[in-house]
Amino acid sequence: HPDGDLIEIICTPPLQANNPFDWSKANMKHLEVCGAILLKGNKVLCAQRGENKYDYLSYRWEFPGGKLEAGETAAQALHRELIEEMDVHVDAEDMEPFYVVEHQYPDFELRMHCFICKVSDCEVNLKEHADMCWATIDEIEKLEWLPADRPVVDALVKRGF
């Protein structure tokens, strides 16, 4: 400033009720993930997470899967993740897109691409989960599911196996 005075400029988000940008989510991590609904007869594979850095994720039930890596489709990522997590091989042609869910957790948000994968003989070797079970349509509703997985469970129950 020509007079030598300092001018302080403060940048704040506009305080408008209709502001389309949610500043609280500006630094939130976004994950693209995939999940497998492994069906064997009239049962679905349910995987229980172990301890997690986020307590709200620890020991809750989920559909197995994981993060998409750069350049992967959701089906390719699911094929890789099932082998890495439990030595289960499901080819992309045996995966039927079923449900896409978007969920915001306190520390991150995700989009999960879920596929129905019918298997006849499935030997599971847990590498990352604390436990697993093959559950019927009635039994899956009684498990304590992760919030992102719950809409998928509800859609499965509505559809029937």
Side-chain angles (χ1 to χ4, degrees):
H1 192 267
D3 298 341
D5 294 336
L6 293 176
I7 298 174
E8 184 177 354
I9 299 173
I10 300 172
C11 296
T12 59
L15 299 176
Q16 301 167 349
N18 62 353
N19 181 7
F21 188 79
D22 185 348
W23 289 89
S24 66
K25 298 178 193 172
N27 295 321
M28 186 166 284
K29 186 175 185 179
H30 177 81
L31 302 174
E32 288 286 326
V33 301
C34 54
I37 302 160
L38 290 167
L39 296 178
K40 183 166 73 170
N42 68 339
K43 295 189 176 187
V44 63
L45 182 87
C46 309
Q48 186 181 38
R49 294 179 70 105
E51 191 170 343
N52 191 281
K53 69 178 179 177
Y54 302 121
D55 285 344
Y56 55 86
L57 300 179
S58 295
Y59 304 106
R60 303 285 290 272
W61 292 86
E62 69 176 357
F63 295 107
K67 297 180 194 112
L68 276 66
E69 292 181 356
E72 276 186 322
T73 66
Q76 290 167 335
L78 191 56
H79 174 79
R80 176 185 49 77
E81 286 285 345
L82 288 172
I83 293 169
E84 290 175 4
E85 289 186 1
M86 48 188 53
D87 284 337
V88 171
H89 293 263
V90 178
D91 293 324
E93 58 267 12
D94 296 324
M95 298 178 188
E96 174 193 335
F98 176 66
Y99 201 93
V100 176
V101 62
E102 292 186 0
H103 186 80
Q104 183 177 325
Y105 285 106
D107 301 285
F108 62 95
E109 60 185 4
L110 63 78
R111 179 181 301 123
M112 181 169 57
H113 306 265
C114 297
F115 295 83
I116 290 179
C117 308
K118 292 185 179 175
V119 294
S120 52
D121 188 24
C122 187
E123 186 73 29
V124 179
N125 175 26
L126 291 184
K127 298 178 185 177
E128 296 186 14
H129 289 90
D131 200 2
M132 60 152 275
C133 67
W134 289 97
T136 64
I137 198 163
D138 295 323
E139 294 165 341
I140 65 169
E141 292 190 284
K142 296 174 184 160
L143 298 175
E144 192 175 348
W145 289 91
L146 287 171
D149 291 67
R150 189 72 224 192
V152 183
V153 171
D154 295 341
L156 263 180
V157 169
K158 185 176 179 180
R159 173 187 187 260
F161 293 177

